[in-house]
Amino acid sequence: MNIRNLKYSLIAAMALFINSCSTQKPQVKSKGKTAKTQVTKPVPPKTPTTPVAAGKEEVKVNLPEINREFRAAWIATVANINWPTRNNLTTQQQKDEAVQLLDMLKGANFNAVIFQVRPSADAMYKSDLEPWSYFLTGQTGKAPSPYYDPLEFWIEEAHKRGMELHVWMNPYRAHHTTGGSVTSSSMASVMSQSVYKLRNGMYWMDPSDERVQNHVSSVIKDLVKRYDIDAVHIDDYFYPYKEYHGGRDFPDDKTWNQYRNSGGNLSRADWRRANVNKIIKRLHDEIHAEKATVKFGISPFGIWKPGYPAGVTGSSQYDELYADAKLWLNEGWCDYYSPQLYWKEGGAQSFSALLKWWKDENIKNIHLWPGLNTVGVKADNKTSEITGQMNTIRRMLPKNGAGEIHYSTDGLKKNPEMLSAVKNLYREDALVPATPWIKTKKLMTPDLSVAKSGDAYNVTWNTKDNAEVFRWVLFAKYGDTWETEILDRDNTAKALPLTRNGKKLNTVAVKAIDRLSNESDYDAQKL
């Protein structure tokens, strides 16, 4: 072997020796003796993201927090309160009214609508379980002509505008006094063994009748399964308010006696509450079992009991409606809670005092989005009262988790001053707060492209799971200032000027937002 080859052989041997030493496991000394070993902490796995395209540099930036707030309005269909305004409109007139309402809300940066699809055991949609609503066509059981499915239309138009659609229903009201005559198609007739006529002319299902519970469950599961809704929403009508029956007790002797004869030992009030509790928990579980991404919301009467908090007077939903709304909130049997705080600040039902009480009871930290009486709050100046309540909510509830529901769209549509004031408070667009306790697959990272064209950059983006995207958030940095824009899902391109206010555009980024308002990772480019 010549000297040159020997030299290289020695170098190779030394390299192998050093490598074996660096990979050799440390020797552990016998028990009782200390051995110094170098410990390397495991590196946590990175969250999977879409690989950066070949030749595209991955850009790291610190993006601003996205503005979040729940901004919704109730759209009442019972008695033709909000939509349709009459029960004899043509299909096109109904659609036109719906679009006008949605455009009004979109223009004021609302991000959700609470649409009443079941005003009184009837349907504003195609159902095999309950008849078409009298409030839709003027005849119970009669479909719209030319035919369309109103709920499908509302969902499509709301989503097109980046707004969630929550279906609102009354679990137990079987017929409303403004709903025309009770016919053979009415659920008051179909379920006559489980329905009672009240002294004010309404018909009410017996909440303690198992057939009623099963029927309500079937109606809701059917809606969740067949429609692309974002949430199911029920309001304060459990057992009826006493004035509906002339102050008399609810006439449920049949189911009460059955319970007693079977060995039941609860008081009548506790038995009624137990049956309402049962349906609330059941609906929560069944909705998520059917479609996990659909939220469940409840809007109870704003006072649990008089004296809670101290000094509050008024009706007791616990004793009159047999609704233990405090229990449901404490147990987290829904994803959001919207107590109807329909009173002004101060007085016997002080808005802020009630809001604080409900907040303190929210021990599961679900969403708390109170209902506001935007259409009829009893105050000297309705507009300043409602905007004051909105500011109170922002002050008392978590940043980027606050929000409210306005009752109803008439409070905005028929009061330009109110609409303008609410729009001013909503002047910056906002995403709905996320619901992290509902687990879902994370969206893939969007792919961003930027091309200069004249005095602007043409920005485009997309993602492989585009069908799962509900909205986009586009970030543009001019100088040291980030600008954020929330865009609807069909908008995947934007022209951004090279300069704004004398500052050059230097960075662009985009995120995808899913149906539960979760954010994807971002893609960014330096310019």
Side-chain angles (χ1 to χ4, degrees):
M1 181 181 294
N2 61 35
I3 303 246
R4 187 165 178 259
N5 287 338
L6 178 61
K7 179 181 177 181
Y8 289 146
S9 297
L10 288 170
I11 291 171
M14 288 292 290
L16 287 170
F17 175 75
I18 292 169
N19 184 60
S20 66
C21 289
S22 65
T23 57
Q24 187 176 1
K25 292 183 180 180
Q27 294 295 316
V28 179
K29 293 190 176 181
S30 60
K31 187 176 180 181
K33 296 183 180 180
T34 303
K36 291 185 178 179
T37 58
Q38 185 176 355
V39 178
T40 303
K41 293 183 179 179
V43 179
K46 292 183 178 179
T47 304
T49 60
T50 305
V52 178
K56 181 177 176 181
E57 181 183 355
E58 186 175 7
V59 176
K60 296 293 186 182
V61 293
N62 291 319
L63 296 176
E65 188 177 16
I66 302 170
N67 190 35
R68 291 177 179 270
E69 186 175 47
F70 190 68
R71 302 166 176 179
W74 277 292
I75 298 173
T77 58
V78 67
N80 300 106
I81 292 174
N82 298 138
W83 182 91
T85 54
R86 301 195 313 274
N87 64 10
N88 59 355
L89 298 180
T90 66
T91 291
Q92 190 58 50
Q93 287 172 326
Q94 289 180 5
K95 290 182 175 181
D96 290 344
E97 283 194 350
V99 167
Q100 288 168 7
L101 284 175
L102 288 169
D103 282 346
M104 176 190 73
L105 296 172
K106 175 66 174 177
N109 283 329
F110 279 71
N111 52 30
V113 290
I114 318 295
F115 177 61
Q116 191 176 32
V117 297
R118 184 182 185 259
S120 51
D122 50 4
M124 292 284 178
Y125 61 97
K126 177 66 177 72
S127 172
D128 293 330
L129 301 174
E130 294 185 325
W132 286 100
S133 177
Y134 171 88
F135 305 115
L136 188 66
T137 62
Q139 181 179 327
T140 301
K142 180 182 177 181
S145 181
Y147 177 80
Y148 82 118
D149 187 318
L151 177 55
E152 282 186 352
F153 181 80
W154 273 91
I155 292 170
E156 181 182 354
E157 292 298 319
H159 286 175
K160 189 188 300 182
R161 292 163 175 79
M163 303 169 72
E164 292 186 351
L165 192 291
H166 298 205
V167 291
W168 160 30
M169 61 191 64
N170 305 111
Y172 302 120
R173 188 166 59 204
H175 185 77
H176 194 270
T177 52
T178 62
S181 302
V182 174
T183 68
S184 59
S185 298
S186 304
M187 294 308 293
S189 297
V190 175
M191 296 184 66
S192 59
Q193 291 183 328
S194 305
V195 173
Y196 301 105
K197 184 177 182 180
L198 306 181
R199 293 180 70 83
N200 72 343
M202 286 192 190
Y203 288 75
W204 215 266
M205 294 182 178
D206 182 354
S208 296
D209 191 319
E210 189 173 351
R211 289 170 295 189
V212 169
Q213 295 170 8
N214 290 338
H215 178 72
V216 171
S217 167
S218 296
V219 167
I220 291 178
K221 284 190 293 186
D222 175 60
L223 271 166
V224 173
K225 183 176 182 178
R226 292 194 297 118
Y227 290 91
D228 191 25
I229 60 176
D230 298 284
V232 172
H233 179 101
I234 59 175
D235 61 10
D236 57 314
Y237 293 106
F238 298 100
Y239 281 81
Y241 288 92
K242 284 190 176 180
E243 62 262 28
Y244 291 5
H245 200 45
R248 298 186 182 187
D249 196 21
F250 186 70
D252 55 359
D253 290 340
K254 182 171 63 175
T255 47
W256 167 241
N257 288 331
Q258 288 173 352
Y259 169 74
R260 294 291 290 172
N261 292 337
S262 68
N265 55 13
L266 291 176
S267 69
R268 196 163 188 167
D270 285 341
W271 165 74
R272 287 172 174 170
R273 277 187 288 270
N275 279 286
V276 177
N277 293 341
K278 179 181 176 182
I279 195 68
I280 295 295
K281 179 66 165 61
R282 176 177 177 178
L283 294 179
H284 170 269
D285 294 347
E286 289 180 345
I287 288 167
H288 288 306
E290 183 64 49
K291 197 178 290 182
T293 57
V294 174
K295 292 173 283 198
F296 179 40
I298 306 176
S299 178
F301 182 67
I303 300 171
W304 179 59
K305 285 184 183 182
Y308 295 85
V312 164
T313 62
S315 298
S316 171
Q317 66 179 300
Y318 183 86
D319 299 298
E320 184 176 340
L321 308 182
Y322 304 98
D324 192 353
K326 175 181 176 294
L327 174 70
W328 313 335
L329 181 59
N330 293 161
E331 294 293 334
W333 288 346
C334 55
D335 300 299
Y336 71 88
Y337 226 53
S338 302
Q340 297 170 16
L341 306 186
Y342 285 175
W343 305 278
K344 65 181 181 179
E345 182 61 39
Q349 299 89 26
S350 176
F351 177 85
S352 61
L354 283 165
L355 177 59
K356 182 181 184 304
W357 186 85
W358 287 105
K359 177 188 174 185
D360 291 344
E361 292 296 331
N362 187 19
I363 57 178
K364 296 287 188 180
N365 290 318
I366 63 169
H367 296 306
L368 182 62
W369 299 322
L372 308 183
N373 191 6
T374 305
V375 74
V377 64
K378 293 181 179 178
D380 293 336
N381 187 316
K382 290 182 181 180
T383 299
S384 62
E385 179 65 35
I386 292 299
T387 54
Q389 291 180 7
M390 292 166 68
N391 283 320
T392 297
I393 291 168
R394 288 179 172 181
R395 186 176 67 253
M396 291 181 62
L397 299 184
K399 184 180 184 298
N400 274 356
E404 57 270 331
I405 309 177
H406 297 265
Y407 184 83
S408 63
T409 51
D410 272 5
L412 305 164
K413 177 184 173 184
K414 297 181 179 180
N415 188 341
E417 180 188 6
M418 181 74 77
L419 177 60
S420 177
V422 170
K423 184 176 180 179
N424 184 55
L425 284 179
Y426 290 165
R427 59 186 175 274
E428 294 182 12
D429 204 354
L431 295 179
V432 170
T435 306
W437 52 90
I438 298 179
K439 303 303 179 184
T440 187
K441 182 181 178 182
K442 187 172 183 176
L443 289 175
M444 299 179 72
T445 307
D447 185 30
L448 178 69
S449 298
V450 182
K452 189 175 181 180
S453 176
D455 59 355
Y457 284 104
N458 290 331
V459 185
T460 59
W461 57 90
N462 220 314
T463 183
K464 292 181 180 178
D465 52 357
N466 190 58
E468 306 302 318
V469 175
F470 190 61
R471 303 189 85 178
W472 306 95
V473 180
L474 181 65
F475 304 86
K477 189 178 183 183
Y478 286 89
D480 295 327
T481 303
W482 281 104
E483 296 181 358
T484 303
E485 186 173 6
I486 300 171
L487 299 166
D488 299 332
R489 65 182 177 189
D490 292 334
N491 193 342
T492 56
K494 185 81 175 180
L496 297 174
L498 299 181
T499 62
R500 183 169 287 160
N501 299 323
K503 297 179 180 180
K504 290 183 178 181
L505 178 63
N506 57 68
T507 313
V508 180
V510 68
K511 285 184 175 184
I513 309 298
D514 70 11
R515 288 287 293 275
L516 283 167
S517 214
N518 299 305
E519 304 172 23
S520 73
D521 292 326
Y522 66 84
D523 189 19
Q525 285 194 35
K526 297 277 189 182
L527 307 176

